């Protein structure tokens, strides 16, 4: 896979397979790909049994509380924690399964309002709260964000820089001696090279691997 060769070996490549037919995932698997990203709970649930056990499923989309149960049993990591309530719901589901769910805090770094995530003030407040400390079945591994969908490279770069600074701030304040808090999930097909230059440890790439998504196809 040429994308794989264009990122440093220390950066994890997540193949974002949402809306892609299972054959495409199997093909990527045969080529050695093990990390896959999905953004719809039922699609993850449905694809999970069709792929080998050593696939690591990353959930990267919006998650409503009534769909948490489709994701927690199958996910290796949930990148899109955009509220305290969501993390709390995931914690409850993980507790039922006797599992510790690895998660990333999503930050709102883009100008588009349609994107989700914490502000740095909200995140710091949450990480200080008793509520956060009562969540024993989730483990925060780092942060995630999506840059604005614009052509202006400088804007994208400065948004990634901002996310890196949030990562650094949280690490320093809450996880100074914890090597597990180390993931900076940023970069998609259009901007992953910039993201890697700005310190990304996980890139989430769909179109550049699989081609355009067919939003009309029935699964
Ligand atoms: C769809 C999606 C991606 C991948 O987007 P591409 O532009 O196809 O690479 C990455 N991250 C998130 C959160 C997504 O929803």
């Amino acid at each position: 896979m040429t994308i794989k060769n264009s990122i440093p070996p220390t950066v994890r490549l997540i193949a974002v397979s949402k809306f892609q037919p299972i054959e495409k995932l199997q093909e990527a698997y045969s080529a050695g790909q093990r990390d896959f990203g999905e953004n719809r709970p039922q699609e993850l649930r449905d694809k999970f049994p069709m792929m080998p056990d050593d696939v690591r499923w990353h959930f990267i989309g919006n998650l409503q509380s009534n769909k948490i149960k489709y994701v927690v049993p199958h996910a290796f990591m949930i990148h899109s924690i955009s509220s305290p309530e969501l993390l709390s719901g995931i914690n409850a589901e993980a507790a039922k399964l006797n599992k510790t769910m690895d998660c990333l805090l999503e930050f709102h770094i883009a100008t588009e309002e349609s994107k989700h995530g914490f502000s740095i003030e909200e995140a710091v407040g949450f990480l200080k709260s008793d509520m956060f400390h009562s969540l024993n079945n989730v483990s925060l591994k780092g942060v995630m964000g999506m840059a604005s969908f614009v052509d202006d490279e400088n804007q994208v770069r400065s948004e990634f820089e901002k996310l890196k600074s949030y990562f650094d701030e949280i690490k320093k304040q809450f996880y100074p001696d914890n090597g597990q808090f180390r993931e900076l999930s940023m970069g998609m097909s259009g901007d992953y090279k910039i993201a890697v230059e700005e310190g990304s440890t996980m890139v989430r790439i769909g179109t550049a691997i699989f081609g355009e998504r067919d939003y009309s196809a029935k699964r």
Side-chain angles (χ1 to χ4, degrees):
M1 216 175 284
T2 57
I3 302 272
K4 183 105 198 157
N5 297 329
S6 70
I7 61 172
T10 49
V11 175
R12 193 190 290 257
L13 172 61
I14 299 171
V16 175
S17 48
K18 63 188 188 193
F19 294 91
Q20 300 291 354
I22 201 74
E23 295 74 28
K24 290 225 182 155
L25 284 74
Q26 286 162 343
E27 204 178 299
Y29 182 92
S30 298
Q33 182 64 28
R34 291 296 178 271
D35 291 276
F36 290 85
E38 291 286 338
N39 75 337
R40 295 187 298 171
Q42 286 100 326
E43 188 171 343
L44 169 57
R45 178 199 61 187
D46 295 347
K47 282 176 171 171
F48 177 86
M50 299 201 252
M51 292 293 287
D53 287 343
D54 63 343
V55 163
R56 292 179 292 265
W57 295 98
H58 297 258
F59 190 79
I60 61 173
N62 276 330
L63 189 49
Q64 288 161 347
S65 55
N66 59 336
K67 308 263 173 78
I68 289 173
K69 59 178 183 288
Y70 301 140
V71 173
V72 172
H74 308 313
F76 167 76
M77 185 174 279
I78 301 177
H79 292 227
S80 40
I81 305 299
S82 54
S83 73
E85 294 69 33
L86 176 57
L87 194 63
S88 173
I90 288 168
N91 182 76
E93 190 65 28
K96 279 191 220 161
L97 302 171
N98 216 357
K99 167 175 185 171
T100 301
M101 189 70 244
D102 288 347
C103 295
L104 305 179
L105 278 191
E106 180 172 1
F107 281 90
H108 189 269
I109 54 170
T111 48
E112 294 114 359
E113 280 306 315
S114 57
K115 294 193 166 108
H116 296 260
F118 285 88
S119 67
I120 185 64
E121 293 79 18
E122 288 166 344
V124 167
F126 176 43
L127 294 178
K128 284 180 177 164
S129 69
D130 292 342
M131 195 262 237
F132 177 69
H133 289 111
S134 73
L135 306 178
N136 294 319
N137 288 78
V138 291
S139 176
L140 281 193
K141 300 296 181 195
V143 307
M144 177 269 213
M146 289 168 87
S148 298
F149 196 62
V150 293
D151 287 332
D152 182 352
E153 243 189 54
N154 293 325
Q155 182 182 342
V156 169
R157 188 179 297 280
S158 81
E159 289 171 357
F160 286 147
E161 264 175 37
K162 192 159 59 177
L163 186 61
K164 171 72 161 70
S165 77
Y166 296 164
F167 169 83
D168 289 341
E169 183 172 339
I170 290 174
K171 170 116 186 120
K172 183 164 158 232
Q173 202 171 335
F174 299 98
Y175 300 96
D177 307 314
N178 182 339
Q180 298 299 305
F181 191 88
R182 59 165 186 233
E183 303 294 355
L184 190 46
S185 169
M186 60 184 195
M188 306 173 32
S189 292
D191 56 21
Y192 74 91
K193 288 185 179 136
I194 303 173
V196 167
E197 285 167 10
E198 297 304 327
S200 174
T201 65
M202 296 179 144
V203 291
R204 310 177 308 270
I205 300 183
T207 321
I209 294 176
F210 296 113
E212 293 298 325
R213 289 177 278 275
D214 183 358
Y215 293 111
S216 68
K218 263 186 80 184
R219 287 185 291 109

